[in-house]
Amino acid sequence: MSQHLDEIAFARTVVGPGPDVTEALQTTPRPVPSNVRNLTTLGLGLGVAAAAFGLFTSTERTMGVILTCLVYFIGVSQGGVLLSVASTVTLGRWQRPFKRIGESFGANLPILWGLWLLFLIVGLLGGPSPYEWAHEEMHGHKAIYLNPAFHFGRQVVCLGILFTLDMLFIRNSLRPDLGAAAEKLGSAAPTWWSRFTVGWQGRAAEVETAYQRNIKLGPVIIVTYAITFTMFAVDSVMSLAPHWYANMFPAWIFVSSFWVSLSWVCMTAVLSAKWLKIEHLLGLSNFHDLGKLMFALGVFWTYTLFAQILPIWYGNMPEETSFLLLRIYSSTWSPLAKVVIAMCFLIPFSVLLSRGIKKMPRALAVVGGVIATGVFLERFLLVMPQVWKEDSLPIGVVEIGVLIGFVSLFVKVVSTVLSQVPPVPFTDPFMNPNPNDVHVHAAGDHGHGEHAHA
């Protein structure tokens, strides 16, 4: 405990020179690359067109893929904020260069929340809905909970509280960086930054204030996230099969949301580091640590999957086993289930056992792409069998188009945010290396300066 307090005291009093972000700040704000801007705009148009076409031709499968994308990208966006929160609460240093990228994911949350509420309102008003209880009266002990109005109210209040806390956290994190960057840039600083820095009290005071606020807000967000996403997992996915239940399912969803977000952070960092001028801040050790966390959460995903399947399988109760039988043994869905296992466990587990791979950013990003795709297919496998009753696998123009639309929306928002703010939290004291770290080098290697000893 005393060591933990000493670490906090060190970070708060010994600010240090901070990382070299001169070039990154001089190019802020920066234009979004034209190819990214054009492709995401085209992708958004394609997504809207695919959704409109699907709603007129095959409503059930279209509502199913929209639900899949909403569950997936709400999880990815919230997971990015959670990475920033976790690095703050744990006083972590290796995560700091990724922190702003994670926070940029959070900018999608208000948009996705609005789309999610619109999706529910359509069903509430009598339109198409993937939830059978939306238009049919439920009986028994679940009738009160699975009430459309109560369901909608929960999503408004609970997710609204979580996302509001996220926005407060991001604002606290941005304020000292925007103020310090504005002091360096002068008149070149964007005018909208002033809305975040009203009453600026100087860099040292603002860093301390931001630290005090977020170190208290962080644990609240973590607990709220666990509770809220437990409800969200039950309401958005499990209630598609209202008579099926699994106690581990909510934890499986909210932990895998954080896991897949790390993959998106990795891919974003690799693809945008040169554009953001932060390549020198993203060292091999940072990617190595990120890879280790991706590996650990992948093992946890597999554990929670097994922990759900085993008791359901041995309990052999029809209301529980039917959910698994449809996805594991039916000729339609069984091949996809095997692909999910390969992409979410077999490939990441076998590849990320290698320490070398985790220190190769581009290779790690490829693994991240496999995980990101695998988790999306897992969400697809959870949702679609409940809304699509045909023998063929529902993967066509509508599904691909809607997915492209959501990916384009996500990338457009993230790239826009990163183009307008400092790409790393350069005023954060934990961006500085810990002088008590022990650095071990090969014999005869004197190119790294003096060694530090504990």
Side-chain angles (χ1 to χ4, degrees):
M1 181 65 180
S2 61
Q3 183 179 1
H4 184 75
L5 294 176
D6 289 343
E7 181 80 357
I8 296 176
F10 164 77
R12 290 168 61 187
T13 57
V14 185
V15 175
D20 180 11
V21 292
T22 303
E23 189 176 6
L25 291 183
Q26 287 175 345
T27 56
T28 303
R30 58 187 62 82
V32 176
S34 58
N35 59 339
V36 174
R37 185 175 61 253
N38 295 335
L39 286 175
T40 53
T41 301
L42 179 63
L44 271 172
L46 178 62
V48 172
F53 174 76
L55 289 173
F56 280 104
T57 58
S58 183
T59 304
E60 294 80 8
R61 67 188 287 181
T62 305
M63 294 297 284
V65 73
I66 290 174
L67 174 60
T68 302
C69 290
L70 284 170
V71 171
Y72 179 80
F73 281 102
I74 288 175
V76 171
S77 301
Q78 179 60 52
V81 179
L82 206 65
L83 174 63
S84 179
V85 171
S87 67
T88 299
V89 172
T90 61
L91 311 180
R93 295 177 187 274
W94 69 263
Q95 312 102 315
R96 284 313 202 264
F98 301 110
K99 190 169 180 276
R100 188 56 38 79
I101 293 175
E103 291 170 350
S104 71
F105 289 8
N108 283 282
L109 289 173
I111 301 171
L112 293 170
W113 183 44
L115 292 175
W116 172 234
L117 296 182
L118 178 62
F119 182 86
L120 296 179
I121 288 172
V122 170
L124 194 63
L125 297 178
S129 173
Y131 302 107
E132 63 181 62
W133 44 266
H135 304 307
E136 299 177 9
E137 184 179 358
M138 284 289 296
H139 299 283
H141 63 283
K142 295 186 179 181
I144 297 176
Y145 189 80
L146 295 181
N147 174 280
F150 184 34
H151 179 263
F152 178 77
R154 290 195 300 273
Q155 309 307 310
V156 173
V157 175
C158 296
L159 288 179
I161 291 173
L162 175 61
F163 296 162
T164 299
L165 293 174
D166 291 336
M167 295 304 108
L168 288 174
F169 185 94
I170 294 171
R171 184 183 180 88
N172 292 338
S173 179
L174 276 173
R175 180 179 167 93
D177 290 329
L178 295 182
E183 289 179 342
K184 292 186 176 183
L185 295 176
S187 60
T191 54
W192 67 266
W193 284 8
S194 60
R195 296 200 296 269
F196 280 73
T197 58
V198 174
W200 179 255
Q201 299 176 349
R203 173 169 172 166
E206 292 291 345
V207 168
E208 171 69 11
T209 300
Y211 171 83
Q212 289 286 356
R213 289 175 177 173
N214 277 355
I215 201 69
K216 295 174 182 176
L217 188 58
V220 176
I221 292 177
I222 292 172
V223 173
T224 305
Y225 169 74
I227 295 172
T228 300
F229 260 63
T230 292
M231 175 212 69
F232 180 64
V234 172
D235 287 352
S236 62
V237 181
M238 190 185 291
S239 68
L240 289 167
H243 301 291
W244 176 74
Y245 52 87
N247 292 338
M248 290 292 293
F249 186 83
W252 188 41
I253 293 295
F254 71 69
V255 172
S256 63
S257 293
F258 180 47
W259 176 41
V260 72
S261 183
L262 297 180
S263 298
W264 279 91
V265 167
C266 180
M267 291 187 291
T268 304
V270 170
L271 293 174
S272 65
K274 185 175 181 179
W275 167 56
L276 297 174
K277 311 298 183 185
I278 58 172
E279 289 177 295
H280 62 292
L281 301 177
L282 295 171
L284 299 185
S285 62
N286 299 100
F287 283 103
H288 184 214
D289 289 330
L290 180 62
K292 287 188 287 187
L293 187 56
M294 290 165 60
F295 175 82
L297 290 175
V299 173
F300 187 82
W301 179 91
T302 309
Y303 158 71
T304 49
L305 173 64
F306 183 75
Q308 292 176 87
I309 291 178
L310 190 64
I312 292 174
W313 186 259
Y314 278 98
N316 198 28
M317 291 177 281
E319 67 272 17
E320 297 186 29
T321 55
S322 59
F323 189 89
L324 297 182
L325 291 173
L326 175 61
R327 289 159 176 80
I328 297 176
Y329 287 108
S330 70
S331 59
T332 303
W333 299 105
S334 177
L336 183 59
K338 293 180 175 66
V339 171
V340 168
I341 293 298
M343 299 185 78
C344 291
F345 172 62
L346 295 177
I347 295 174
F349 181 84
S350 58
V351 175
L352 292 180
L353 281 172
S354 166
R355 179 167 55 180
I357 291 292
K358 293 193 286 287
K359 290 185 176 183
M360 299 168 61
R362 292 187 179 276
L364 186 62
V366 170
V367 178
V370 172
I371 294 171
T373 305
V375 174
F376 177 81
L377 293 176
E378 172 243 283
R379 301 292 196 259
F380 189 81
L381 184 63
L382 291 175
V383 171
M384 291 304 291
Q386 299 303 135
V387 299
W388 179 252
K389 307 301 182 182
E390 305 296 331
D391 293 334
S392 58
L393 197 64
I395 298 179
V397 173
V398 172
E399 287 75 19
I400 295 173
V402 171
L403 175 59
I404 290 174
F406 272 92
V407 172
S408 299
L409 173 64
F410 181 84
V411 174
K412 179 174 282 291
V413 172
V414 169
S415 60
T416 300
V417 171
L418 291 176
S419 73
Q420 295 295 314
V421 299
V424 292
F426 69 96
T427 63
D428 191 327
F430 285 90
M431 281 292 292
N432 294 303
N434 190 332
N436 294 323
D437 284 346
V438 176
H439 303 281
V440 180
H441 305 295
D445 182 3
H446 302 292
H448 299 280
E450 296 181 359
H451 293 196
H453 299 278

